[in-house]
Every structure is written in structure tokens, then in C-alpha cells.
């Protein structure tokens, strides 16, 4: 009954914000509520554009949060909210507003007791969340709040009851989401322009160990359409009436109004990472001549165009909802950090300038971003297929950082190093872009950055990742050793780092080969084989080595965290995506297949992750963990071991069982939908396409899985690719017809379970005949890259 009730609620939500008589477009299939229980700060931001700077959302549990990366912000289980925050980015959050009536309160109160603060209960039945728009009724105040956004400006429309004590509160000086400690803040009301401006300076948790002097400053400039009756300020619960400005941690400001029944007050809030002046300029340019409804409709059109670059036909409504919601997430994170005039904050705190086009707009964007730890198994593959301009922009952004700082980052918050996993795969991401034909960046600078990222260690600090690269370069492995970070975290990830650095060296070697750099190719290829130094022939697992070179004692392959970041030896033994053929040789084909088959047969019992436990790390000590990055290529390895029908089976089952349609069961149960990476994986698997090498091979390929739709059309960007579109069609597609019987590519028989990426970029047509019984002869003609 609970399942049926959840499904009924889901259907109601899907149709609550749209005209059900109109044929649904891609944007209509997106449900932002999916997976919104126990989600990350940047996960749930409905009032935003793709990659937008302005990401507006209700916050239910973000006030005074610890920071770091732990889930907070919005949780669908909660029935009251603190307000609406404007910045939702990796390690960045803040600038909260909320409309209220009645007695003035300047602290939000708690989930347990909303009445002790300005927090309001909400009517969940009135909650409407779609890409680009959010609305809800604040029941404690009888106010309807609506949010939408342009790229750098948040738009608010508050519908008030009749009240002599209506107000809009700006809570500026408290930490929000991942932003952690507020070190300073300022807010000011300007009566001559009816404008509220200010800034917040945060000290992100990751900056504490990545860049100890690094602080992030965010700016805003809010314009209102009604003059307040009076203005006051506060610091925490200390209130100053008739005050127009306040500074310091805990500061805020309130605007008092007298409102009539159903009176609307609107405001536009420009945002920036460089200055109040640029926040104002962003707002004035992006909001000029636009109403709230103009912006809402434009946001819908923008999302629909972006999502519509991949069209799916046939199969169930549930499949389409999962698909387009996953694609929506892949386009939401890693927000734009530059102003509309092309200015952005650099690592050295100077203002950088992106060159402008003939219309005076930036030729590309600078991005805030978490690391790309496993993004090459999901995000960059989606960007390559349908959004190469985003991929190009992302690469250029990192190269800007490199030229200013001397290193690639692997996590940036407004110019500050915020590298969470310390591996730094940005070099690999650059290499994969080049191999995909996305080459409109300075390749000489790119090569210098990639080579340095993989091979150098002198002058390296925590911020640019690979802090232990000296061990890797000198020994060929990183020993089992505790590292104490400057913030006193203790980490011991030498084995997983060794495997990851080997993979990124492979990517760099392939770029060196493409550029004709023979000596560098030989060196990097040598280091790409470093994974062999960890392979234990006795246990046939990747086993950490001590500093004296001996294998780890008291070894348990299921034990998490000891030598392996967010995983264990059972999971990381498969982490040789660049040399699967040799991994099979080391393990033996029988052991390889037996262990891989057991991994998925057993993992299905826990929904291919952490079961129903709501925790980001619930799958760390399992055989397989779909809820985290290190495992995301594993189900595709059967394509390499002569059993491609098992790739077809398990990728489909993961789509059906790990991924759900409710706030609680969306991306596992509260597992880490990290800036869209799990959603992007679903999109790839549902199309039946994946590249275990993450696009890094000099001749990239796509391996074939089991598409979930009758027809999939990928629209190709003519600026980057010669083809117009690539079509995937399935014959006899059904919920239980997992298995490919035969295939043709551009009208010719395809006997391999893979094909070269150029076949997509040139435009083409892949046809797959499906059935419920495996064809154990199809797809085994050759291993990818064996020809």
C-alpha cells in the first residue's frame, strides 16, 4: 500500500505544474523531487537554468550546517522551511530570503519547533517543483512564494495576505549548506534605489586543508518593486530598528510592508563572485524588460531545448521520468562563475577576463566545480554526446585556473582550491575532450598542464591534488600510510590513489601519442602499468603495500577505507579501466568472470548499493556500490570478458532497481547523486552506450548495453561534429527483453559489442534486435580496442 501511495503521489506531482491536455515535452518528464531525501546541497535547486550561477531553492535543514559535503539543504521528509537560498554550489552557499507576517523573528527556529523562529511550515500539496520554477504556500504566514531564475539573477514573487506586519527578511551572515564558517558579511538597504545589497565571506571546510588562506566571497544586489514602510537590521537575535546597514557574522536586514489581500511583492536578486557592481549589472542586463512570468517561461524553454537534444520514444512513463530527471541533474551542477561581462575571480584574487564575442557576451564560461572523480564515467560522456560546448567551456575554465595558479585544480570554489578526493582527474578530462574532437582550446597550454599534473610533485600542495604523487613517481605505488590533513582529518588511500593515478597516466599517454610526443608517451605508458604493483597473485585482489614494500597484513578485501577511498579492495580490484585485457590475464578468465558474476548476483540483493539504508556511504563495504563513483564501470566489464549478455542484463537491472521514482528511493536510498553523476550514468545505460575508458583512448569507442527505449535520437552539434544526428533503434523492446540478438550499424552487420565513437560523431544509425533469451554468440567477436 505504501508503494501504491507513493506512486499516486508521484503521478500527482508530475501533473500538478502543467496542462495535462498538452503532449508532454522533455522538460515535463523531469521530477526534481526524485531522490530529494538525504541529498547534497547543490542537488535540489529547481529555480535555476542549466549550469546557472543563480540556483534558488527552499532550504529545510541548511541553517548552521557543518559545511563539508554532507547532505543538507532540502529534504522532502521535512514539512517546514527556513527560507530560500540563492547560492547552491560545491562548498558555496548563502544569501537567504523569506517573506513573513506578524511578530518579527530573526533566527529560523528548528525542524522540531518551527514556532521558535521565522521558519514556516509548508503545505506539501501546494509544492510545485519543475526545471526553472518552484512555488509553495507558507502556511504559517498564508503567503505563496514563487521562484524562478535567469543565469545570474533570482526572481521572487511573494503573494501576501492583508497584513500591517508583512516583511521580507534577508538572513545574510549565517553559514548555509556547504559554505561552512562565515568570517564576515555586510548588508545595506539603499532607499534611493529601493535596493538591498551585500556580500558574505565564507571559509569552506575543504579550503581549510586545500588552501588554508582561501576564503570565498559572494555578492548580491536585490531590487524590489515596492518601497518598504520601514527597515531594520539584526545580528542573530539582536534587532536594531530604523537601521539601513549591518556588518559581521550573523547579520541580516528586514523590510516592513503593509499589504492588501493577494498583494504581490516582487524582487530580482543579481548575484556575482566579483563585486556588488557586477551583481547589479548582471541583474539589470538579465532582467531588463522581463516579467516574472517571462523569465519562468524562458527558463522552461531553455531546459526543454537542452533536454530535448536527446529524444527518447516508447516504453513507460516511469522510464522517461528517470531518464530526463537524470539528464536534468547532469546539466545542473558545476555552475557558471563568471559575470555577464566576462569577469571572474581568479585563484590569486585578481579579476580575470573572458574574451567577449561580437555581441559583447563571454565566449565561454568559468565554472565552480567539485572534482571529476568519476565524472568520466557519466558526465563528460553525456557532454561529449549532446553538450560539447559545455565540455569545451569546462576545459577552458580549468586551463584559465592553471595559467593563473600553475596547477590544474580538482575542485574550485570561486578561485579557491576545494579538492575533496585528492586525485585530480582534470588532466584525464582534458585528454578525453581532445580525443572526442573538442579541441577549441590552447592545446599547448593543455599539454603542459596535463603532463605536469601526472608527473610532477615538487611544489605540489593539497589544493591541486595528488599530494602523494612523489611516492607514485619514485616507487610506482603509494604505500599504506596515514596522512594527516591540515584540518586534522586522517586519510590512508594509497592503494586507490595508485590505481587512479595509473589510469590518468594512461589518458595522458594517449594524448601524448596523438600529439606525437614519443618520449612522454613511453614514460606515461610505463606509469599506467603501476596497478600491477598492487596485484597480489595469491588472493588475486589489489592489495595495499606497506612502506617496506610488503603486502598489507591482516588483509580483508571487504574492509572499507583502509588503503581505499570510499571503497574496498573487492571494489577497487576492477579499477583498471585502461587495461582490462591484462587484468583478465592477471586474474585468469575463469576467476575474473566467476568473481564478477558473483559480485552482481550478490549485489542485487542490496539493490546494487547500500540497500535501503539512508546513508551516502552505505555501500562502501559491499561487493559493488552503484551509489558511488569507483564502481560505475564494473557492469560493463562483461563486454571484455566474453559475456556481453551479462552487461546487458545487469545494466538494465540497475536502471530498474537501484534507480527509483520517489523522494526517498531515487538514486539508491540517500546515496550520492554527486552533481548529476548518478543521473548521467542512468542516461547512458538507458541508451545502451558507455565507454569504460572514459573517452581517453586515442580511438575512443562506445560499448553496447541494453537500451530501454524503442528509439533514441541524439542531436549532434554542427560546430563540433560532422553528423546531424545519431539514432539508436530497438526491435522487440520490452521490460524483460534485456538481451541483444543482433545488430547493424549504418545498415551493416555489427558482430562486436562495441563500435568507434567517430561513428556517432559522423552521424549514423544503430539498430538492435532484442529478446528475453541471451544470444551468447553475439558481441564476442573482439574485445574493445583489441583490433
Amino acid at each position: 500500500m505504501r508503494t501504491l501511495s507513493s506512486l499516486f503521489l508521484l503521478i500527482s506531482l508530475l501533473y500538478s505544474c502543467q496542462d495535462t491536455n498538452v503532449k508532454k515535452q522533455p522538460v515535463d518528464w523531469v521530477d526534481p523531487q526524485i531522490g530529494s531525501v538525504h541529498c547534497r546541497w547543490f542537488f535540489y535547486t529547481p529555480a535555476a537554468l542549466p549550469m546557472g550561477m543563480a540556483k534558488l531553492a527552499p532550504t529545510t535543514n541548511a541553517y548552521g550546517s557543518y559545511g563539508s559535503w554532507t547532505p543538507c539543504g532540502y529534504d522532502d521528509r521535512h514539512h517546514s522551511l527556513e527560507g530560500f537560498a540563492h547560492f547552491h554550489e560545491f562548498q558555496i552557499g548563502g544569501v537567504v530570503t523569506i517573506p513573513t507576517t506578524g511578530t518579527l523573528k530573526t533566527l529560523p527556529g528548528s525542524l522540531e519547533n518551527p514556532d521558535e523562529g521565522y521558519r514556516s511550515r509548508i503545505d506539501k500539496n501546494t509544492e510545485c517543483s519543475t526545471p526553472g520554477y518552484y512555488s509553495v504556500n507558507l502556511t504559517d504566514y498564508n503567503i505563496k512564494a514563487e521562484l524562478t531564475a535567469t543565469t545570474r539573477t533570482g526572481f521572487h514573487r511573494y503573494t501576501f495576505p492583508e497584513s500591517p506586519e508583512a516583511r521580507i527578511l534577508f538572513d545574510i551572515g549565517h553559514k548555509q549548506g556547504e559554505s561552512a564558517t562565515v568570517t564576515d558579511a555586510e548588508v545595506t538597504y539603499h532607499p534611493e534605489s529601493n535596493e538591498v545589497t551585500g556580500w558574505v565571506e565564507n571559509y569552506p571546510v575543504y579550503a581549510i586543508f586545500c588552501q588554508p588562506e582561501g576564503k570565498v566571497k559572494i555578492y548580491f544586489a536585490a531590487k524590489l518593486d515596492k518601497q518598504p514602510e520601514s527597515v531594520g537590521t539584526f545580528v542573530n537575535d539582536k534587532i536594531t530598528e530604523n537601521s539601513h546597514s549591518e556588518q559581521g557574522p550573523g547579520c541580516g536586514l528586514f523590510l516592513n510592508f503593509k499589504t492588501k489581500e493577494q498583494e504581490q511583492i516582487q524582487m530580482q536578486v543579481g548575484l556575482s563572485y566579483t563585486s556588488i557592481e557586477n551583481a547589479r549589472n548582471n541583474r539589470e542586463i538579465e532582467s531588463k524588460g522581463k516579467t516574472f512570468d517571462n523569465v519562468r517561461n524562458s527558463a522552461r524553454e531553455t531546459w526543454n531545448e537542452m533536454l530535448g537534444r536527446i529524444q527518447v520514444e516508447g516504453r513507460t512513463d516511469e522510464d522517461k521520468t528517470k531518464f530526463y530527471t537524470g539528464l536534468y541533474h547532469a546539466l545542473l551542477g558545476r555552475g557558471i562563475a563568471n559575470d555577464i561581462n566576462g569577469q571572474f575571480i581568479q585563484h590569486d584574487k585578481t579579476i580575470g577576463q573572458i574574451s567577449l564575442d561580437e555581441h559583447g557576451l563571454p565566449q565561454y564560461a568559468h565554472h565552480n566545480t567539485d572534482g571529476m572523480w568519476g565524472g568520466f564515467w557519466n558526465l563528460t560522456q553525456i557532454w561529449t554526446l549532446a553538450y560539447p560546448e559545455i565540455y569545451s567551456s569546462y576545459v577552458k575554465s580549468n586551463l584559465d585556473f592553471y595559467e593563473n595558479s600553475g596547477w590544474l585544480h580538482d575542485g574550485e570554489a570561486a578561485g579557491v582550491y576545494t579538492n575533496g578526493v585528492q586525485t585530480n582527474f582534470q588532466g584525464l578530462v582534458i585528454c578525453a575532450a581532445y580525443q572526442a574532437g573538442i579541441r577549441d582550446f590552447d592545446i599547448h597550454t593543455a599539454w603542459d598542464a596535463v603532463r605536469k599534473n601526472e608527473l610532477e610533485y615538487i611544489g605540489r600542495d593539497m589544493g591541486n591534488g595528488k599530494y602523494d604523487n612523489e611516492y607514485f613517481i619514485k616507487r610506482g605505488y603509494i604505500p599504506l600510510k596515514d596522512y594527516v590533513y591540515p584540518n586534522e582529518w586522517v586519510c590512508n588511500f594509497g592503494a586507490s590513489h595508485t590505481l587512479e593515478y595509473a589510469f590518468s597516466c594512461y589518458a595522458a599517454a594517449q594524448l601524448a601519442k596523438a600529439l606525437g610526443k614519443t618520449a612522454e608517451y613511453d614514460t606515461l605508458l610505463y606509469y599506467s602499468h603501476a596497478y600491477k604493483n598492487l596485484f597480489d597473485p595469491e588472493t588475486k585482489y589489489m592489495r595495499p603495500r606497506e612502506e617496506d614494500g610488503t603486502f598489507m597484513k591482516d588483509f580483508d578485501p571487504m574492509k572499507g577505507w583502509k588503503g581505499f577511498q570510499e571503497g574496498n579492495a573487492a571494489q577497487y580490484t576492477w579499477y583498471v579501466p585502461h587495461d582490462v585485457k591484462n587484468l583478465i590475464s592477471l586474474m585468469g578468465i575463469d576467476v575474473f568472470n566467476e568473481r564478477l558474476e558473483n559480485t552482481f548476483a550478490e549485489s542485487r540483493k542490496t539493490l546494487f548499493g547500500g540497500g535501503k539504508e539512508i546513508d551516502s556511504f552505505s555501500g562502501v563495504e559491499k561487493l559493488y556500490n552503484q551509489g558511488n563513483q569507483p564502481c560505475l564501470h564494473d557492469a560493463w566489464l562483461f563486454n571484455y570478458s566474453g559475456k556481453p549478455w551479462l552487461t546487458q542484463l545487469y545494466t538494465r537491472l540497475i536502471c530498474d532497481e537501484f534507480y527509483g521514482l520517489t523522494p526517498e528511493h531515487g538514486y539508491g536510498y540517500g546515496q550520492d547523486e554527486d552533481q548529476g553523476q548518478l543521473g548521467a550514468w542512468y542516461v547512458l545505460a538507458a541508451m545502451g552506450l558507455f565507454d569504460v575508458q572514459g573517452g581517453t583512448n586515442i580511438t575512443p569507442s562506445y560499448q553496447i548495453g541494453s537500451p530501454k527505449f524503442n528509439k533514441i535520437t541524439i542531436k549532434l552539434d554542427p560546430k563540433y561534429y560532422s553528423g546531424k544526428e545519431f539514432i539508436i533503434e530497438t526491435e522487440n523492446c520490452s521490460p524483460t527483453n534485456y538481451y541483444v540478438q543482433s545488430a547493424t550499424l549504418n545498415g551493416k552487420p555489427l558482430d562486436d559489442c562495441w563500435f568507434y565513437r567517430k561513428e556517432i560523431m559522423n552521424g549514423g544509425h544503430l539498430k538492435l534486435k532484442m529478446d528475453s533469451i541471451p544470444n551468447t554468440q553475439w558481441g564476442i567477436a573482439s574485445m574493445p580496442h583489441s583490433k
Side-chain angles (χ1 to χ4, degrees):
M1 286 299 295
R2 183 178 180 186
T3 302
L4 290 173
S5 299
S6 298
L7 182 59
F8 179 78
L9 176 61
L10 168 70
I11 293 171
S12 299
L13 284 170
L14 285 172
Y15 285 89
S16 64
C17 306
Q18 63 183 10
D19 184 349
T20 58
N21 294 318
V22 178
K23 182 180 178 181
K24 293 177 75 169
Q25 298 179 355
V27 69
D28 297 320
W29 292 109
V30 176
D31 181 5
Q33 302 303 119
I34 291 176
S36 59
V37 165
H38 192 75
C39 66
R40 294 281 291 275
W41 171 244
F42 43 66
F43 180 106
Y44 186 86
T45 56
L49 291 185
M51 306 281 174
M53 178 187 295
K55 291 188 172 78
L56 278 65
T59 56
T60 66
N61 63 343
Y63 188 91
S65 63
Y66 167 63
S68 186
W69 66 275
T70 51
C72 69
Y74 177 89
D75 192 316
D76 189 78
R77 295 171 295 184
H78 299 158
H79 288 76
S80 68
L81 58 82
E82 301 158 357
F84 307 103
H86 291 73
F87 288 91
H88 283 82
E89 209 61 76
F90 178 66
Q91 296 288 286
I92 298 172
V95 183
V96 174
T97 64
I98 186 170
T100 69
T101 59
T103 303
L104 172 64
K105 299 174 183 177
T106 58
L107 292 174
S110 63
L111 282 165
E112 296 74 22
N113 186 10
D115 294 324
E116 66 186 7
Y118 61 69
R119 174 189 289 272
S120 174
R121 297 168 184 85
I122 60 174
D123 182 351
K124 296 289 285 186
N125 292 323
T126 67
E127 194 170 36
C128 180
S129 179
T130 65
Y133 175 77
Y134 176 85
S135 68
V136 72
N137 286 355
L138 307 179
T139 54
D140 288 353
Y141 304 120
N142 192 24
I143 295 171
K144 180 180 181 180
E146 299 176 88
L147 311 173
T148 188
T150 56
T151 301
R152 303 168 183 84
T153 303
F155 287 70
H156 302 245
R157 184 164 65 189
Y158 301 141
T159 303
F160 284 85
E162 181 178 3
S163 176
E165 295 181 306
R167 74 180 54 81
I168 296 176
L169 192 81
F170 287 78
D171 192 341
I172 303 303
H174 293 105
K175 58 187 177 182
Q176 284 283 320
E178 293 194 357
S179 64
T181 304
V182 174
T183 55
D184 204 358
E186 183 178 79
V187 60
T188 302
Y189 174 68
H190 306 270
E192 68 283 358
S193 59
N194 198 25
E195 187 181 34
V196 178
T197 66
W199 51 265
V200 187
E201 183 182 73
N202 297 312
Y203 190 20
V205 168
Y206 282 14
I208 294 172
F209 62 85
C210 287
Q211 187 180 334
E213 79 285 1
K215 294 180 181 178
V216 172
K217 217 168 183 180
I218 56 180
Y219 302 85
F220 73 96
K223 179 77 171 178
L224 292 97
D225 69 350
K226 180 174 181 174
Q227 204 83 18
E229 298 287 325
S230 61
V231 180
T233 61
F234 61 88
V235 176
N236 296 319
D237 57 356
K238 181 182 178 181
I239 298 169
T240 305
E241 300 283 358
N242 300 314
S243 168
H244 285 194
S245 187
E246 191 62 78
Q247 184 172 352
C251 73
L253 180 144
F254 55 91
L255 309 172
N256 296 319
F257 302 91
K258 293 179 181 178
T259 55
K260 300 176 183 177
E261 183 68 24
Q262 294 295 296
E263 181 176 354
Q264 292 183 337
I265 299 177
Q266 300 187 50
M267 65 178 180
Q268 300 86 41
V269 185
L271 309 178
S272 174
Y273 293 104
T274 60
S275 67
I276 290 174
E277 292 74 18
N278 273 344
R280 182 182 294 114
N281 186 55
N282 290 337
R283 184 196 73 218
E284 290 178 349
I285 292 176
E286 292 186 353
S287 66
K288 185 176 181 181
K290 298 176 182 176
T291 66
F292 183 95
D293 289 329
N294 290 154
V295 173
R296 177 186 176 182
N297 292 336
S298 179
R300 172 184 165 82
E301 291 170 3
T302 297
W303 275 110
N304 201 49
E305 186 279 323
M306 295 291 279
L307 296 167
R309 293 192 194 181
I310 305 179
Q311 298 276 349
V312 297
E313 301 175 33
R315 291 297 303 276
T316 68
D317 290 356
E318 290 82 1
D319 291 333
K320 291 174 184 174
T321 297
K322 288 183 185 181
F323 184 90
Y324 282 113
T325 302
L327 189 56
Y328 162 73
H329 287 156
L331 295 171
L332 194 60
R334 306 177 194 275
I336 289 170
N338 62 280
D339 298 313
I340 200 166
N341 61 12
Q343 293 186 346
F344 65 97
I345 191 73
Q346 299 192 107
H347 178 66
D348 64 3
K349 297 303 181 184
T350 61
I351 303 298
Q353 177 66 55
I354 298 171
S355 56
L356 305 179
D357 63 18
E358 64 273 16
H359 304 293
L361 298 175
Q363 292 189 336
Y364 59 94
H366 197 89
H367 295 265
N368 286 318
T369 176
D370 194 354
M372 269 292 184
W373 193 31
F376 40 79
W377 284 326
N378 35 66
L379 288 175
T380 59
Q381 294 193 42
I382 293 295
W383 296 352
T384 296
L385 289 169
Y387 312 101
E389 79 281 13
I390 291 178
Y391 201 166
S392 171
S393 175
Y394 187 85
V395 169
K396 291 173 183 174
S397 176
N398 210 316
L399 292 179
D400 285 343
F401 192 100
Y402 170 76
E403 291 192 286
N404 182 255
S405 71
W407 294 93
L408 292 174
H409 68 74
D410 193 37
E412 174 196 358
V416 174
Y417 281 123
T418 48
N419 184 349
V421 291
Q422 297 299 316
T423 51
N424 200 327
F425 276 114
Q426 298 294 344
L428 181 150
V429 166
I430 293 170
C431 297
Y434 184 88
Q435 307 296 10
I438 302 170
R439 301 177 178 180
D440 54 349
F441 50 84
D442 186 338
I443 189 57
H444 300 293
T445 301
W447 169 249
D448 288 344
V450 168
R451 183 203 58 77
K452 184 176 183 180
N453 194 49
E454 303 309 321
L455 297 178
E456 294 193 16
Y457 52 84
I458 296 174
R460 193 159 209 147
D461 55 31
M462 295 292 291
N464 43 68
K466 296 181 183 265
Y467 58 83
D468 45 10
N469 205 41
E470 182 174 3
Y471 279 106
F472 181 76
I473 296 302
K474 290 182 176 180
R475 295 191 180 192
Y477 73 93
I478 299 162
L480 197 65
K481 178 179 183 297
D482 283 349
Y483 289 86
V484 181
Y485 289 5
N487 65 338
E488 298 185 353
W489 287 358
V490 179
C491 298
N492 193 326
F493 304 143
S496 59
H497 284 184
T498 299
L499 299 170
E500 290 165 333
Y501 299 178
F503 181 30
S504 59
C505 278
Y506 167 83
Q510 296 295 293
L511 180 59
K513 186 176 182 179
L515 298 176
K517 298 181 180 296
T518 304
E520 291 92 337
Y521 169 76
D522 290 341
T523 298
L524 288 160
L525 195 65
Y526 166 79
Y527 283 113
S528 77
H529 295 146
Y531 68 89
K532 298 176 185 177
N533 295 327
L534 294 186
F535 186 78
D536 174 14
E538 180 181 346
T539 63
K540 297 190 185 300
Y541 283 105
M542 296 296 171
R543 185 170 177 176
R545 286 187 180 271
E546 305 285 355
E547 289 196 76
D548 64 5
T550 61
F551 279 121
M552 174 187 183
K553 302 170 183 64
D554 300 320
F555 175 62
D556 177 0
M558 297 298 290
K559 179 69 175 177
W561 299 100
K562 194 67 172 179
F564 300 97
Q565 186 160 15
E566 300 182 25
N568 57 29
Q571 294 174 6
Y572 269 98
T573 292
W574 308 113
Y575 204 112
V576 191
H578 55 292
D579 199 1
V580 182
K581 183 178 181 179
N582 195 61
L583 178 62
I584 292 172
S585 296
L586 289 172
M587 294 178 70
I589 187 64
D590 292 337
V591 172
F592 186 96
N593 274 327
E594 181 183 354
R595 191 178 287 176
L596 193 60
E597 289 175 48
N598 181 65
T599 290
F600 284 96
E602 287 297 313
S603 297
R604 191 180 181 190
K605 299 174 183 177
T606 55
L607 301 176
F608 300 103
K612 294 186 178 181
E613 180 184 356
I614 297 178
D615 187 281
S616 301
F617 289 141
S618 58
V620 166
E621 295 196 335
K622 300 290 194 295
L623 284 170
Y624 177 81
N625 183 15
Q626 178 68 24
N628 211 355
Q629 288 91 326
C631 293
L632 294 183
H633 70 300
D634 293 2
W636 300 86
L637 294 178
F638 293 109
N639 280 342
Y640 291 77
S641 66
K643 295 191 174 184
W645 62 91
L646 292 180
T647 283
Q648 297 152 31
L649 172 65
Y650 285 114
T651 56
R652 183 80 79 86
L653 289 176
I654 290 169
C655 286
D656 292 343
E657 297 174 10
F658 175 85
Y659 292 87
L661 285 162
T662 67
E664 185 178 51
H665 180 200
Y667 299 86
Y669 282 79
Q671 293 197 260
D672 193 9
E673 167 62 318
D674 191 350
Q675 292 192 302
Q677 58 100 10
L678 288 180
W681 191 98
Y682 180 93
V683 170
L684 288 165
M687 292 194 295
L689 298 177
F690 193 82
D691 183 10
V692 168
Q693 284 78 43
T696 59
N697 191 276
I698 195 169
T699 54
S701 70
Y702 277 110
Q703 297 91 59
I704 296 171
S706 180
K708 289 183 65 67
F709 300 97
N710 298 341
K711 185 178 181 181
I712 302 157
T713 303
I714 304 169
K715 299 178 182 179
L716 301 175
D717 189 332
K719 180 180 176 182
Y720 293 91
Y721 307 132
S722 59
K724 181 179 179 181
E725 61 186 18
F726 187 80
I727 297 172
I728 303 167
E729 278 192 284
T730 58
E731 179 185 341
N732 200 26
C733 186
S734 82
T736 57
N737 287 358
Y738 307 126
Y739 304 107
V740 178
Q741 302 301 298
S742 61
T744 62
L745 180 62
N746 297 328
K748 298 179 181 179
L750 179 65
D751 296 324
D752 296 313
C753 60
W754 62 276
F755 59 93
Y756 289 116
R757 177 179 287 175
K758 65 182 180 181
E759 301 290 350
I760 290 184
M761 307 319 170
N762 292 338
H765 200 158
L766 175 67
K767 289 187 175 182
L768 303 172
K769 185 176 181 179
M770 312 299 293
D771 204 288
S772 61
I773 300 172
N775 178 358
T776 59
Q777 299 305 306
W778 181 85
I780 61 173
S782 67
M783 179 187 295
H785 304 305
S786 64
K787 288 186 176 178

